[in-house]
Amino acid sequence: MNTREQLLALNDELRRLKAEGNRTISVSPEAMQALRDALADAPEEDGRSGFTPDANVALAVSEPSGVKPDPQPVRTFVLPTPAPVVAAKPALPPRPDVVLPDGDKPTRWNALREIVLNDPTCRQNVHPGKQVVFGVGNLDTAIMFVGEAPGADEEDQGEPFVGRAGQLLNRMIKAMGLDRSQVYIGNILNWRPAMGARNADGSQTGNRPPTQEEMACCLPFIRAQIAIIQPKVIVALGKTAVDGLLGPDRFKSMGAARGSWHEYAGTPLRATYHPSYLLRQEGLVSAAAKKIKRDAWEDLLAVMERAGVTISDKQRNYFL
Ligand code: URA
């Protein structure tokens, strides 16, 4: 397990302990130091949805102070034993060209959807019994959102952004004065990236960002969706979408990517924070958390302006 996977496993273990009703855990100074070292090694927060240190869970970890808020049982925190690592998957096969029939948008989109849903690599990589996830929405939209990869809820339902992050995305779209049926939503990847390690019941331990190889495998599909829909504006949700559409070396962080206009194949592209990252700011009152939410709203205002969506004074002054 690498550091990121260990942190994800740790996060899951903390969630599990919390779900069991544990309110406090005691952490030895050595373990605390090991955690700090691991976090120092973790990638810069960049809006990726993969590593999800749940604030509520993470806040439950504190050095033993001797003052206990309530008489809940104190458990010694034990770093989770690494889950068995599933044998490495063979390299992904080269992606054949996407060939679509001539015709109108629905004809081409339906043909592409069939290709993706039946793609052997997508089908091999989707979790057993789950669905390959293709984009949804209005083919004549001015605004196309591109996310990272499906999570468990999306693979269950075969639709992008239907879990918690999707509910926040719906609220963001509503705040823009629009509705989910008026926009298009797709992902860089069409399956949920596997962690390579499983819980005892076979379920996955969390989400991780796709590898470059996985992205290369699915990128022709999101590119083809953009080519069919020809939106006025693309909104890249998080760093994976930015890397996938603009190139992996173009921006070091979301901070560098957001706040100005870019271009994907002639279409204006605006980068903003991934809803999963924004979810982690909910309930936080720090100036930094407020700025992140405000920045995200400013990104959406810029998108509305560029796409020709009317902006009311209330919307424009939302954060003033
Ligand atoms: N996160 C994504 O990036 N895409 C989804 O479809 C769901 C969550």
Side-chain angles (χ1 to χ4, degrees):
M1 270 192 175
N2 61 28
T3 307
R4 186 181 186 85
E5 286 168 346
Q6 283 175 345
L7 287 171
L8 284 163
L10 169 60
N11 199 47
D12 286 348
E13 177 65 4
L14 290 172
R15 266 182 212 279
R16 191 187 62 73
L17 289 171
K18 195 175 180 203
E20 275 180 359
N22 295 291
R23 302 287 298 278
T24 59
I25 52 173
S26 67
V27 181
S28 70
E30 296 77 31
M32 204 65 199
Q33 190 53 47
L35 263 176
R36 283 203 189 95
D37 293 346
L39 283 169
D41 287 346
E44 179 196 352
E45 179 53 81
D46 57 7
R48 283 170 202 256
S49 60
F51 174 50
T52 328
D54 184 318
N56 294 328
V57 176
L59 284 176
V61 185
S62 60
E63 283 165 290
S65 63
V67 183
K68 308 264 179 324
D70 56 34
Q72 297 288 329
V74 175
R75 291 188 55 161
T76 304
F77 178 72
V78 183
L79 278 174
T81 23
V85 174
V86 173
K89 291 209 170 204
L92 297 172
R95 156 77 42 225
D97 287 345
V98 178
V99 181
L100 297 177
D102 289 337
D104 58 9
K105 281 188 184 186
T107 305
R108 286 154 51 78
W109 183 84
N110 277 315
L112 178 62
R113 184 169 182 274
E114 282 306 301
I115 291 173
V116 175
L117 297 188
N118 294 303
D119 179 74
T121 310
C122 289
R123 290 178 69 120
Q124 264 161 27
N125 280 279
V126 81
H127 290 83
K130 306 294 177 187
Q131 304 182 56
V132 176
V133 180
F134 188 63
V136 283
N138 190 322
L139 304 187
D140 295 315
T141 188
I143 304 175
M144 177 163 176
F145 291 90
V146 179
E148 178 177 293
D153 294 317
E154 288 74 23
E155 261 198 352
D156 266 345
Q157 297 182 42
E159 183 168 331
F161 283 102
V162 291
R164 279 188 72 221
Q167 281 155 23
L168 176 56
L169 180 60
N170 289 348
R171 294 199 293 278
M172 289 159 66
I173 293 168
K174 200 164 170 206
M176 296 166 80
L178 302 170
D179 160 300
R180 189 170 159 111
S181 65
Q182 290 174 280
V183 300
Y184 190 90
I185 306 173
N187 272 319
I188 294 289
L189 209 70
N190 300 92
W191 66 78
R192 181 184 182 204
M195 293 294 291
R198 309 219 170 194
N199 297 319
D201 64 0
S203 61
Q204 291 279 287
T205 55
N207 292 331
R208 66 158 171 83
T211 62
Q212 288 296 325
E213 191 194 15
E214 288 169 330
M215 283 164 73
C217 190
C218 289
L219 272 171
F221 298 146
I222 191 70
R223 289 191 184 126
Q225 287 169 84
I226 295 170
I228 292 171
I229 291 161
Q230 298 186 332
K232 276 193 191 157
V233 180
I234 297 168
V235 187
L237 298 168
K239 184 74 164 40
T240 297
V242 171
D243 289 350
L245 295 177
L246 299 182
D249 303 322
R250 181 91 179 265
F251 298 101
K252 276 209 168 125
S253 65
M254 272 309 290
R258 64 154 300 281
S260 57
W261 283 102
H262 312 294
E263 207 180 275
Y264 167 81
T267 304
L269 181 149
R270 194 83 181 188
T272 193
Y273 295 114
H274 191 284
S276 296
Y277 179 57
L278 294 174
L279 271 180
R280 300 202 291 272
Q281 316 302 318
E282 275 188 353
L284 301 184
V285 289
S286 66
K290 272 193 198 152
K291 176 164 171 16
I292 288 164
K293 289 181 242 181
R294 185 191 177 126
D295 284 351
W297 180 237
E298 277 170 7
D299 293 332
L300 296 183
L301 285 178
V303 167
M304 289 165 71
E305 201 151 48
R306 190 85 183 230
V309 176
T310 310
I311 304 178
S312 68
D313 285 347
K314 190 173 165 203
Q315 285 169 318
R316 202 173 286 286
N317 300 327
Y318 194 67
F319 274 92
L320 296 183

